[in-house]
Structures are given as C-alpha cells and as structure tokens.
Amino acid sequence: MSLTGHNTPVECIQFKDTEELVVAGSQSGSLRIWDLEAAKILRTLSGHKANVCSLDFHPYGEFVASGSMDTNIKLWDIRRKGCVMTYKGQSNAVRCLRFSPDGRWIASAGDDGIVKLWDLSAAKVLTEFREHTGPVNIVEFHPNEYLLASGSSDRTIKFWDLEKFKMVSCTEVENSPIRCILFSMDGCCLYSGSQDSLHVYGWEPPRCFDVVPVNWSKVSDLSTCSNQLIGASCSQMTVSTFVVDLNRVKKSGSIVQGEIEDEKLFNLLTPKGAALRRNYERPLTTCSRPQSKVKEEPESEQRSPSGEEDKDDKESTAEIRNPEEYKEIFQPKSAIARTPPRRNDPFPAPPEDGKFILFAGASSLHLTILFTTSSPPELRNRHLSGCRTKAMLLLHLVFPQPQKNNKLADLTDEDAVSQIRKGHDTMCVILTSRFKNLDMVRAMWTTGDVKTSIDSAVTMNDLAVMVDILNIINLKPALWKLDLCSSIIPQIEKLLQSKYESYVQTGCMSLKLILQRFGPLIADNLVTPPSIGVDITREERQHKCKLCYKQLKNLVPILQSKAGLAGRQGSAFRELQLLMASFE
C-alpha cells in the first residue's frame, strides 16, 4: 500500500496499537492520519511551526501526541480534529515522546538532553531528569512497573523510578549512540539497538547480560514477536529488516540453552527491585471513562518527591484550548488516582468568568485573546509586545464579575487602552521605516540592476531588509552572480551570528548556494598562473575570486564554533564546513 498526501518530506510515522490507523508528521509541521482499511486520509492536523519529529498514539483514547522542532508538544483529539493542549518546556527540538501504559503521562525528550514527565490530568510537568550529557534519542516506559528508560547520544541508557523521581541506574558507555530501546514483553530486561550491535540490559543491579553483533548499521526501530526480536534500518532508498532469535540470547531471569543451571547465577540475573515498585493500573475502556478506582492515598504520601511542593515551574507550561472539554476528558470524576497531588502547589484552573480584553489586527485577519484581569501584569505585557499589526480593533466584553475573594482589581477602560498602545508607536515607526527601505530596493530592482539594489540594501544597515532580499534570491539561483558574492558574504557573516533563528537559516542557505555555485570557480582562480599579455576580464575575475576567498575565510571561525550545535542547525554548519574544505 502507498499512502500519499503530504507536500513536504515525511519525518516520522507511528501505528496505532490496533493497527487500524497510521499517523505521519512532515517537515511543514502538519500531521496526516490514514485509515488503513479504507486506504484514505482520515484527518489532517496543522499547528506546529516546524518539522514534526516524534509521534505516539494514546493507548486507549482517540488521541495522538506530537513533538516538533518548534520545541512544543501538542495533544490532538482525532475525533474533533483539533489540538486539545500545547505543552511548552523543551528548549530544543522534541525528538521522542511516549504515553505511559495507563495513558496518564507523557514522557518527552530531545536535543537539550532533558527528559520531562507530563501529567495529563494536572496539565503540567511533574518532574525533569537532567543527568544525560547529550541529546536524548528515545524514551520507553516499562510495560508494567513505574519505570522509565531513556537512551541518549552520550552512549548511555538511564533508568528512572517514577515513584521517587530518581535515577535507578545507568549503563556503561557503549561504543556508539543509543538509537532505540525496547523492554521485553515480560519486562525482565531491556533491548538496546546501537551501531551494528544489540545489547541486553538489566537495571537492578545495572548489568549487560548479552551483546549480539547484528549487521544492521544504524537501526531505526525494534519490536518483538513470537520470541523473536525484529529490527529495521534504512540506508538511502533501502529499508532492511533483521531478526534475532531471543531463545539464544541471555536475558534477565533466564539461562541460555547448553549452560549449567546454577541457582546462584539465576538469583544474580533476577532483578531485585521489581517487587518493590508500583504497577500501572489501566482503565477498562477509554481514558475518559475509566471504571476502576484506587483508594485515596494517605496524607503522608500526598507530597511531591524531593521536597518540591513549593517549587513553581516557570519554564514548562501547558496551554489548554478548551478547559471544559479537557476537564471532561482527562479529569473525570471516576478518574484513576494516579499522581499524588501537590498540596501547596495546585494547578490553577482557568478563570470561568471575568472581564476579557480582545485584540484584533485588521491586517492579519486574526482575533486573539490577549489577557484577562486574572492574568499577571508581566504576562499581559509579554503578549502585547508580540503584536506587530498596524491597524487595531479593540473589543471590550464585560462578563459577570469574578468572585469576591479575587484580590486583583478590574482594569478600567483607560488602563486597557494604555496597555494596548504601549510600544505600538515604536513598532509603527520601525515597520514604516522598513517598508520605505524595501520600496526603495524594489524600485532599483525593477530597473534590472540587481547588484545596485543589493548594494543599496547593504548601505541601509538593516538585517531584516537583507533577509527579505536573500530569501527571494535563494529561491532563484539564476540571479546569483559572482559580483553579488562580494557584497553579500559580509552580510552573511552578520546573519550567522544573529540571535534570530530565521536569520541564521537564511544565512546558511545563502552561503551554501554560494559555495556550491562558485566554490570550484574561486578555488580554480586561486591557483591559476598569471596570464600572458593583457586580459582585463580574466584579471577582474581573479580579483573578485580572491576578494570572495578572503571574505569566506573570515567565516571559518564562526562555522567551527557552531558546528558542535545539536539538531538541524548544527548539521547545517557541519555541511558548510565540508563545502569550505575545498579551499584548503
């Protein structure tokens, strides 16, 4: 079967446990869900601002979670075709995420090396694990126990206790990064896939039971079936599958056939902490209609571990799209008592009434709720400072007044207008100046003299204008001439050092096009012997090439300093380093 529909490359895919649905995420940030029986698109979900890197289906409900390079995690309702919640907290791309077996938690991790545990019913982060020293490539929940495993590019696997929120153990450093991990069906051991090898681990105490050489190169995924482990890997346009007979592999609590069964060895291979750890309690139906209950925990246990009751996590937040719908789905009255509540740090419920100030930009055709009277001033200011539209429409809607115990006073109309206009005049001046600059460049461009228009943009000393122009030239490589390179390369140097990611991406793309298009020409002219006689064209070309070479050499320290970055940005700088190597 071949499923089509995405307009940009597919980054990740995931099957639903029932194998009736498959979801795929693309570089554009959109998700598409296919019905495998009907072989057609069931849903299209859009909302991410960058590549979708990881996906997982909820084990019971009709939900799917997605992690993206925009650092956000989104929870989607398949039936209602919309985003239920957005989780914000990772400082870099979210490369992996998993639902817990009971569907109450989400574990996420990525390029920042931090593993976060999110509670769906509380709509907030429970804890963070920061012990990894490199990007985390995969996270997996134990099928039964409160245990989480994470594999990283630091070449280790760490095991986390989800009751005490502490690290249980860590494996020894392997020869290559951990690409995928999988708990055995009975939960007695963990399989780890890395470069051309399969490792079998126990965690209490930490021990490697077996190492099996498998010629799967960079394995992408693992699964088990009929006492066989199946691994999949891909290389360019070829997908390969490998099968390992688990009967011939040493595992926790088992003896390989042919060895003498020794009671002491058997006891050594058996995990000691399994019986002490709590097990998941799965609902009988969907997550919104669980039918089983757990007795309320004693007061002594209703505290968050590590004495973090009063800690306010300001970095990790969750945005609920529809509070009533979210409460009905993930906070039902019959919900399982999964997480000990934080007594001194309850999750604040969204305000049910009060006065809302709504703000609309006429030029953007978007209506946005900026703040309510229950929002702190710093939150209101942050939202307002992000407005960039010139024409504004103010809608003042008065709802029933908040409860009397609300200590925050309502804003007056004058205060609301003052807050909205704060910074507006400054932004209008900046946008007006930028518009004039672009209009001037466009006027010169229409005359056909691209070089003059580029030089005029350089003299304006406005990187935003230069980014707009380069984005156009990058889409039309035929516009690139050797004359332009000497004017643009110094601007690229500024873009590569910018704090704005979009500026850096534009600079990388422009530099890549210059090196691919003119790199061989510049290199050849550096070693060409002087011409005999008078050849003005050749001498001018050599002069331009030497000037470009001198400017490109100034970029080498920047490329070296940023080549070690994680994620796509680091790989882009490493690719530029390879292209620059042709000049050495």
Side-chain angles (χ1 to χ4, degrees), residues 427-447:
M427 182 57 67
C428 285
V429 171
I430 295 174
L431 293 177
T432 302
S433 174
R434 187 172 302 169
F435 175 78
K436 290 180 179 178
N437 291 338
L438 286 172
D439 196 42
M440 187 182 305
V441 174
R442 183 187 62 83
M444 296 183 181
W445 191 290
T446 54
T447 63

Side-chain angles (χ1 to χ4, degrees), residues 470-481 485 488-489 492 505-520 522 552 575-576 579:
L470 288 179
N471 284 335
I472 296 174
I473 300 178
N474 291 343
L475 294 175
K476 297 183 177 181
L479 293 175
W480 281 101
K481 305 295 181 184
C485 296
I488 291 178
I489 292 176
I492 292 177
Q505 290 177 349
T506 300
C508 288
M509 178 57 69
S510 300
L511 181 58
K512 181 180 178 180
L513 290 174
I514 290 175
L515 294 174
Q516 289 177 339
R517 193 174 182 86
F518 302 105
I522 296 174
L552 289 172
E575 183 180 2
L576 292 174
L579 292 173

Side-chain angles (χ1 to χ4, degrees), residues 63-84:
F63 306 98
V64 65
S66 60
S68 169
M69 285 186 68
D70 63 11
T71 73
N72 294 334
I73 301 169
K74 289 185 180 291
L75 185 65
W76 307 87
D77 189 330
I78 300 176
R79 298 163 300 181
R80 295 178 174 87
K81 310 180 186 180
C83 178
V84 179

